[in-house]
């Protein structure tokens, strides 16, 4: 039985004989059903005509599906003091990507910012030896394929090592997180944003949305929570959700200015 994959958002579902009637990720107001109606694929079919581009993304090893599929996010292999963390996930797993990860020391854990990027997280974990997948407990309801290696964490911060932690910010999803590392490429700290803060196309600021494709803004109170949760962390770089969409330098200042601008616009 295949684990069907939604062609619009890239979410992989639990094994079943026939695809589900709808994808709850896409019928949610943060996403959308493809204009041609709900479409499904399978891991086997996806592997036939897609590959994973493996390349440096501003100093971090990055992986994304080519040609573009799903949202389309970049997965990153982020070094920490206690092994690499695979940040975010993809709908497709390939031998070439696994070999690349293994050649860099493998991954100790998977961590994902929010349900739009859960995709084939269980396949990635299985292929890497059953490593834990850290998801925030407030997004538990959105998991479409459960597995014993999924660890739901609670609270505001979850340490992955002495120099890397997941920060619960909420907003876009109730459990939305960011990953912060102390050193990073330039030694001045890095924030991996997911959609919790979205690096904008000028790569000089971030923004906040309940829904990006449907342009539904985030309430001011949620942005104030994000501000408070990130207040204690220094970072010079902010890595956005997709390849190249990164702020390289003075990212802390850019995030602070973006929050201030968002709040003043919404007064
Ligand atoms: Zn979907
Ligand atoms: Zn999202």
């Amino acid at each position: 039985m295949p684990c069907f994959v939604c062609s619009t958002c890239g979410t992989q579902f639990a094994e079943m004989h026939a695809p589900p009637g709808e994808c709850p990720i896409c019928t949610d107001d943060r996403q959308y059903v493809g204009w041609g109606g709900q479409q499904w694929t399978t891991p086997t079919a996806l592997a036939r005509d897609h590959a994973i581009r493996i390349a440096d993304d501003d100093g971090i090893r990055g992986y994304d599906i080519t040609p573009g599929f799903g949202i389309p996010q970049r997965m990153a292999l982020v070094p920490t003091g206690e092994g690499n963390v695979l940040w975010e996930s993809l709908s497709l797993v390939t031998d070439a990507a696994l070999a690349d990860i293994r050649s860099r020391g493998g991954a100790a854990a998977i961590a994902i910012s929010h349900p739009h990027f859960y995709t084939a997280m269980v396949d990635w974990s299985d292929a890497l030896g059953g490593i834990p997948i850290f998801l925030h407990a407030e997004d538990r309801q959105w998991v479409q394929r459960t597995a014993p290696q999924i660890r739901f964490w609670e609270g505001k911060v979850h340490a992955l090592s002495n120099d890397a932690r997941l920060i619960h910010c909420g907003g876009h999803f109730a459990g939305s997180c960011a990953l912060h590392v102390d050193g990073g490429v330039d030694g001045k700290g890095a924030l991996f944003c997911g959609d919790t803060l979205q690096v904008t196309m000028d790569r000089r600021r971030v923004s906040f949305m309940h829904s990006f494709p449907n342009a539904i803004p985030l309430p001011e109170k949620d942005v104030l929570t994000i501000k408070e949760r990130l207040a204690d962390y220094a970072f010079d770089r902010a890595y956005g959700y997709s390849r190249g969409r990164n702020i390289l330098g003075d990212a802390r200042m850019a995030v602070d200015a973006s929050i201030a601008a968002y709040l003043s616009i919404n007064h």
Side-chain angles (χ1 to χ4, degrees):
M1 286 194 293
C3 289
F4 288 97
V5 176
C6 172
S7 298
T8 303
C9 71
T11 300
Q12 189 189 78
F13 286 65
E15 273 190 308
M16 52 187 93
H17 287 292
E22 61 182 30
C23 169
I25 302 291
C26 285
T27 53
D28 177 64
D29 70 355
R30 279 164 281 219
Q31 250 287 111
Y32 59 93
V33 176
W35 294 2
Q38 177 67 51
Q39 309 275 328
W40 300 97
T41 184
T42 63
T44 310
L46 194 57
R48 240 178 257 135
D49 49 10
H50 290 77
I52 293 178
R53 178 170 46 161
I54 304 167
D56 174 81
D57 184 16
D58 293 323
I60 293 289
R61 198 64 164 172
Y63 310 84
D64 58 335
I65 298 178
T66 179
F69 177 81
I71 288 196
Q73 69 276 20
R74 175 256 296 112
M75 179 173 80
L77 191 67
V78 181
T80 81
E82 291 169 38
N84 295 317
V85 173
L86 207 50
W87 171 243
E88 314 292 20
S89 200
L90 301 175
S91 303
L92 174 67
V93 182
T94 67
D95 289 342
L98 291 169
D100 189 73
I101 291 166
R102 290 189 189 112
S103 75
R104 288 160 189 274
I110 294 170
I112 304 179
S113 60
H114 74 298
H116 286 153
F117 301 157
Y118 288 175
T119 58
M121 59 183 176
V122 176
D123 281 351
W124 280 101
S125 166
D126 285 346
L128 292 164
I131 55 174
I133 303 168
F134 291 102
L135 307 179
H136 198 275
E138 288 195 35
D139 287 338
R140 183 191 294 262
Q141 71 191 94
W142 297 103
V143 173
Q144 304 301 324
R145 183 183 173 196
T146 57
Q149 61 265 49
I150 296 175
R151 311 270 173 86
F152 292 106
W153 64 277
E154 297 180 1
K156 296 180 182 177
V157 181
H158 178 81
L160 294 168
S161 68
N162 57 348
D163 60 352
R165 71 282 307 165
L166 299 170
I167 304 166
H168 175 226
C169 296
H172 179 49
F173 272 79
S176 279
C177 301
L179 167 66
H180 178 259
V181 297
D182 290 334
V185 174
D186 61 4
K188 298 178 188 169
L191 189 73
F192 292 81
C193 300
D195 284 351
T196 310
L197 313 83
Q198 190 160 89
V199 174
T200 55
M201 285 299 279
D202 64 6
R203 303 189 296 182
R204 293 169 55 210
R205 63 195 93 197
V206 296
S207 195
F208 313 91
M209 288 288 219
H210 173 74
S211 169
F212 291 96
N214 300 326
I216 307 170
L218 207 60
E220 184 174 298
K221 67 174 176 49
D222 289 0
V223 177
L224 285 166
T225 303
I226 294 170
K227 179 183 179 181
E228 175 230 309
R229 298 288 168 89
L230 294 176
D232 293 341
Y233 301 100
F235 49 89
D236 199 50
R237 292 184 171 209
Y239 286 87
Y241 81 102
S242 62
R243 186 182 289 283
R245 202 158 161 168
N246 308 319
I247 301 174
L248 303 176
D250 294 329
R252 177 74 250 190
M253 214 183 302
V255 166
D256 290 341
S258 301
I259 291 171
Y262 191 98
L263 294 174
S264 67
I265 287 166
N266 285 283
H267 267 304

